[in-house]
Amino acid sequence: MHFLPVRPGFFVFLHFFFDQISIEVKRTEIKHALLSEDFEQEIKVMGWVRTKRTSKNVAFIALNDGSVMHDLQLVVDLEKIPEESLALMHTGASVAAFGKLIPSPGSGQRVELAVSSIELLGEANPDEYPLQPKKHSLEFLREKAHLRFRTRTFSAITRLRHAMIFAIHKFFNDRGFYNIHSPIITASDAEGAGEMFQVTTLKLEKLPFDENGEIDYKQDFFGRKANLTVSGQLEAELAALAMSKVYTFGPTFRAENSNTSRHLAEFWMIEPEVAFNDINDNMDLAEEMLKYLISYALENCSDELQFLSKRQQEEEKNKKPEDRSMELIEKLQFVLAHPFERITYTEAIDILRNSNYNKKGKFAYPIEKWGADLQSEHERYLVEKHFKKPVILTDYPREIKAFYMKQNDDGKTVRAMDVLFPGIGEIIGGSQREEVYEKLLQRMEEMHIPLESMWWFLETRKFGTVPHAGYGLGFERLMLFVSGMTNIRDVIPFPRTPLNCEF
Ligand code: 4AD
Ligand code: MG
């Protein structure tokens, strides 16, 4: 065995090597730090300062890294670390801190970090940083959408939103559904409603015209008029008529100029489509899915829900008791515990027509006759005042529903279903589909659906057609319900609404 002579330079190298190791200690996420039992090892945490308070010999910094609802309390002994080195660590600044976890003597947290060294990563000048630790209105935060993830409310919503996305895929995967990516750019109008965003590469200042003086879309990118999709349903139907059980989960776009707290111009929709299912199977699937998602949130997001519940109570504390919402967690458990009421549109119209609300003129749109489209005030009356639980309405007049819905034998109604939720109104819209070629063709003609661009949809009814059904869940409407938030702009990171496309 040979011993290499150890030269002085080697010690310098070793020293340098260990220095590097301490710098390269891996970051511990605050989520893991808060649960850790290891009080021996030095750990490194990194995040953003929520608050800092300094007393005579010690400073406390509440640090959050978004991994979890709670902050980690950093305890800085000012006799070891000079106060000046913390001077720039204001709310919003980013820092890295080393130290050992210790059981916390204070109430409010199980462990805290006894800081051995701390480094400023990026400052946040308190004269400029807009999110100082005080209450901000949701309207104000919408104007700061680039920073609002840093607030407790939006980080809670972001984690909850992620959990719901994951749960949706899990729900369908566990039941043997296949996920389909339906196209975002399409040449067809799935809902026949006409409120679409056009996609074009034509120069708007220099449009080409044909011999009839019409815009010549042959010269456009796709050689035809194209739009952003309003729904992935039609393509999901094509897939279901081979794969049996499919679902889409994608962005959808509607150019309706409705500035309400429940409408977005860009929103996410979950659209299952199932071959061999009828309207009753469709209702069962919708109810099972909604209950699954709610129980998933209760089981996996309890910190977020508790926080959001307190937030809601705080927000509503100046309201009269009878105007306050049911406590959030209680509301979610209530929905789980009760079967949804299932009634027909015709029954709903009778209830609404005979209601005190209607008689006393409390509806902005009084219900006079069968055939009226239901407004959200009517939907909410049925859910919140009459049945006091979620309601599934079926068999709507065919005049107010889309062309693809299965026609009932009465010649007046279609096998539509809308799921109505308290505080939301319509959360799901769906139907059994018309699978009979002649009937579908006739309805498309009556409703002036351009047949030449929908030949492929019709062909599925020519070749091996089967009964099938599906629905669309508005993801942000689900998020409104589960979070207890009241404006849809606050449950999506970057809302797109009329005149609003900043971030
Ligand atoms: O009722 P809708 O228009 O149904 C469809 O698009 C069908 N193609 C679905 C299907 O059968 N596969 O929309 C479905 C749901 C609504 O119930 C609502 O929750 C949501 O999508 N939604 C919106 N959410 C936010 N902003 C908007 N502008 C929305 N429009 C519909
Ligand atoms: Mg609808």
Short mmCIF file of all heavy atoms in Angstrom, two decimals, residues 370-390:
data_model
loop_
_atom_site.label_atom_id
_atom_site.label_comp_id
_atom_site.label_asym_id
_atom_site.label_seq_id
_atom_site.Cartn_x
_atom_site.Cartn_y
_atom_site.Cartn_z
N TRP A 370 -94.52 28.23 -19.41
CA TRP A 370 -93.63 27.13 -19.74
C TRP A 370 -92.82 27.53 -20.97
O TRP A 370 -93.37 28.10 -21.91
CB TRP A 370 -94.47 25.88 -20.04
CG TRP A 370 -93.68 24.62 -20.14
CD1 TRP A 370 -93.44 23.74 -19.13
CD2 TRP A 370 -93.05 24.09 -21.32
NE1 TRP A 370 -92.68 22.70 -19.59
CE2 TRP A 370 -92.42 22.88 -20.93
CE3 TRP A 370 -92.92 24.51 -22.65
CZ2 TRP A 370 -91.70 22.09 -21.83
CZ3 TRP A 370 -92.20 23.73 -23.54
CH2 TRP A 370 -91.61 22.53 -23.13
N GLY A 371 -91.56 27.24 -20.96
CA GLY A 371 -90.74 27.56 -22.13
C GLY A 371 -89.72 28.64 -21.80
O GLY A 371 -88.74 28.79 -22.53
N ALA A 372 -89.94 29.37 -20.70
CA ALA A 372 -89.01 30.44 -20.34
C ALA A 372 -87.65 29.85 -19.98
O ALA A 372 -87.58 28.79 -19.35
CB ALA A 372 -89.57 31.22 -19.15
N ASP A 373 -86.60 30.55 -20.38
CA ASP A 373 -85.26 30.13 -19.98
C ASP A 373 -85.09 30.51 -18.50
O ASP A 373 -85.57 31.55 -18.07
CB ASP A 373 -84.20 30.84 -20.83
CG ASP A 373 -82.88 30.07 -20.85
OD1 ASP A 373 -82.77 29.07 -20.10
OD2 ASP A 373 -81.97 30.46 -21.60
N LEU A 374 -84.42 29.66 -17.74
CA LEU A 374 -84.26 29.97 -16.32
C LEU A 374 -83.05 30.87 -16.12
O LEU A 374 -81.99 30.63 -16.67
CB LEU A 374 -84.09 28.68 -15.51
CG LEU A 374 -85.28 27.72 -15.55
CD1 LEU A 374 -85.03 26.52 -14.64
CD2 LEU A 374 -86.57 28.42 -15.17
N GLN A 375 -83.24 31.92 -15.34
CA GLN A 375 -82.13 32.82 -14.99
C GLN A 375 -81.50 32.29 -13.71
O GLN A 375 -82.09 31.48 -13.00
CB GLN A 375 -82.68 34.24 -14.76
CG GLN A 375 -83.49 34.79 -15.92
CD GLN A 375 -82.65 34.99 -17.17
OE1 GLN A 375 -81.48 35.37 -17.09
NE2 GLN A 375 -83.23 34.71 -18.33
N SER A 376 -80.34 32.85 -13.40
CA SER A 376 -79.66 32.34 -12.21
C SER A 376 -80.47 32.63 -10.95
O SER A 376 -80.44 31.85 -10.00
CB SER A 376 -78.23 32.86 -12.17
OG SER A 376 -78.07 33.83 -11.22
N GLU A 377 -81.29 33.69 -10.92
CA GLU A 377 -82.16 33.94 -9.75
C GLU A 377 -83.16 32.79 -9.55
O GLU A 377 -83.47 32.41 -8.42
CB GLU A 377 -82.90 35.27 -9.90
CG GLU A 377 -83.73 35.36 -11.15
CD GLU A 377 -84.57 36.65 -11.25
OE1 GLU A 377 -84.66 37.37 -10.25
OE2 GLU A 377 -85.14 36.89 -12.33
N HIS A 378 -83.64 32.20 -10.64
CA HIS A 378 -84.58 31.09 -10.52
C HIS A 378 -83.87 29.83 -10.04
O HIS A 378 -84.38 29.09 -9.19
CB HIS A 378 -85.27 30.82 -11.86
CG HIS A 378 -85.90 32.03 -12.46
ND1 HIS A 378 -85.63 32.46 -13.74
CD2 HIS A 378 -86.76 32.94 -11.93
CE1 HIS A 378 -86.30 33.57 -13.99
NE2 HIS A 378 -86.99 33.89 -12.90
N GLU A 379 -82.69 29.61 -10.62
CA GLU A 379 -81.93 28.42 -10.22
C GLU A 379 -81.61 28.49 -8.73
O GLU A 379 -81.74 27.51 -8.00
CB GLU A 379 -80.63 28.34 -11.05
CG GLU A 379 -80.90 28.17 -12.54
CD GLU A 379 -79.65 28.27 -13.43
OE1 GLU A 379 -78.61 28.80 -12.98
OE2 GLU A 379 -79.73 27.84 -14.58
N ARG A 380 -81.20 29.67 -8.30
CA ARG A 380 -80.82 29.80 -6.89
C ARG A 380 -82.03 29.74 -5.97
O ARG A 380 -81.93 29.26 -4.85
CB ARG A 380 -80.00 31.07 -6.70
CG ARG A 380 -78.66 30.93 -7.43
CD ARG A 380 -77.75 32.10 -7.26
NE ARG A 380 -77.44 32.33 -5.85
CZ ARG A 380 -76.52 33.21 -5.45
NH1 ARG A 380 -75.85 33.90 -6.35
NH2 ARG A 380 -76.28 33.38 -4.18
N TYR A 381 -83.18 30.18 -6.44
CA TYR A 381 -84.39 30.05 -5.62
C TYR A 381 -84.68 28.56 -5.37
O TYR A 381 -84.94 28.14 -4.24
CB TYR A 381 -85.60 30.70 -6.31
CG TYR A 381 -86.88 30.48 -5.54
CD1 TYR A 381 -87.25 31.33 -4.50
CD2 TYR A 381 -87.70 29.38 -5.80
CE1 TYR A 381 -88.40 31.10 -3.75
CE2 TYR A 381 -88.85 29.13 -5.06
CZ TYR A 381 -89.18 29.99 -4.03
OH TYR A 381 -90.31 29.73 -3.28
N LEU A 382 -84.61 27.78 -6.43
CA LEU A 382 -84.91 26.35 -6.30
C LEU A 382 -83.95 25.68 -5.31
O LEU A 382 -84.35 24.90 -4.45
CB LEU A 382 -84.79 25.65 -7.66
CG LEU A 382 -85.87 25.99 -8.69
CD1 LEU A 382 -85.47 25.47 -10.07
CD2 LEU A 382 -87.22 25.42 -8.26
N VAL A 383 -82.67 26.03 -5.43
CA VAL A 383 -81.64 25.36 -4.63
C VAL A 383 -81.60 25.90 -3.20
O VAL A 383 -81.55 25.14 -2.24
CB VAL A 383 -80.26 25.58 -5.30
CG1 VAL A 383 -79.14 25.09 -4.42
CG2 VAL A 383 -80.23 24.86 -6.65
N GLU A 384 -81.63 27.24 -3.09
CA GLU A 384 -81.37 27.84 -1.78
C GLU A 384 -82.64 28.01 -0.94
O GLU A 384 -82.59 27.88 0.27
CB GLU A 384 -80.67 29.20 -1.97
CG GLU A 384 -79.24 29.03 -2.45
CD GLU A 384 -78.67 30.28 -3.11
OE1 GLU A 384 -79.05 31.40 -2.71
OE2 GLU A 384 -77.85 30.13 -4.05
N LYS A 385 -83.77 28.29 -1.61
CA LYS A 385 -84.97 28.56 -0.84
C LYS A 385 -85.91 27.35 -0.82
O LYS A 385 -86.49 27.03 0.21
CB LYS A 385 -85.73 29.76 -1.42
CG LYS A 385 -84.92 31.05 -1.47
CD LYS A 385 -85.08 31.83 -0.19
CE LYS A 385 -84.45 33.21 -0.26
NZ LYS A 385 -83.02 33.22 0.08
N HIS A 386 -86.08 26.71 -1.95
CA HIS A 386 -87.09 25.66 -2.01
C HIS A 386 -86.57 24.31 -1.53
O HIS A 386 -87.04 23.78 -0.53
CB HIS A 386 -87.67 25.55 -3.42
CG HIS A 386 -88.88 24.67 -3.49
ND1 HIS A 386 -90.14 25.12 -3.18
CD2 HIS A 386 -89.00 23.34 -3.76
CE1 HIS A 386 -91.00 24.11 -3.28
NE2 HIS A 386 -90.33 23.02 -3.64
N PHE A 387 -85.57 23.76 -2.22
CA PHE A 387 -85.09 22.42 -1.84
C PHE A 387 -83.98 22.46 -0.79
O PHE A 387 -83.75 21.49 -0.10
CB PHE A 387 -84.61 21.66 -3.09
CG PHE A 387 -85.72 21.25 -4.00
CD1 PHE A 387 -85.88 21.86 -5.24
CD2 PHE A 387 -86.64 20.28 -3.63
CE1 PHE A 387 -86.92 21.50 -6.09
CE2 PHE A 387 -87.67 19.90 -4.47
CZ PHE A 387 -87.82 20.52 -5.70
N LYS A 388 -83.28 23.56 -0.72
CA LYS A 388 -82.17 23.73 0.23
C LYS A 388 -81.11 22.64 0.07
O LYS A 388 -80.54 22.14 1.03
CB LYS A 388 -82.69 23.77 1.67
CG LYS A 388 -83.65 24.93 1.92
CD LYS A 388 -83.89 25.12 3.42
CE LYS A 388 -84.54 26.44 3.74
NZ LYS A 388 -85.90 26.59 3.21
N LYS A 389 -80.83 22.26 -1.15
CA LYS A 389 -79.75 21.33 -1.47
C LYS A 389 -79.56 21.34 -2.99
O LYS A 389 -80.39 21.89 -3.71
CB LYS A 389 -80.06 19.92 -0.97
CG LYS A 389 -81.34 19.32 -1.52
CD LYS A 389 -81.46 17.92 -0.98
CE LYS A 389 -82.77 17.29 -1.39
NZ LYS A 389 -82.85 15.88 -1.12
N PRO A 390 -78.48 20.71 -3.48
CA PRO A 390 -78.27 20.71 -4.94
C PRO A 390 -79.44 20.05 -5.68
O PRO A 390 -80.06 19.11 -5.17
CB PRO A 390 -76.99 19.90 -5.12
CG PRO A 390 -76.26 20.08 -3.84
CD PRO A 390 -77.33 20.12 -2.78
#
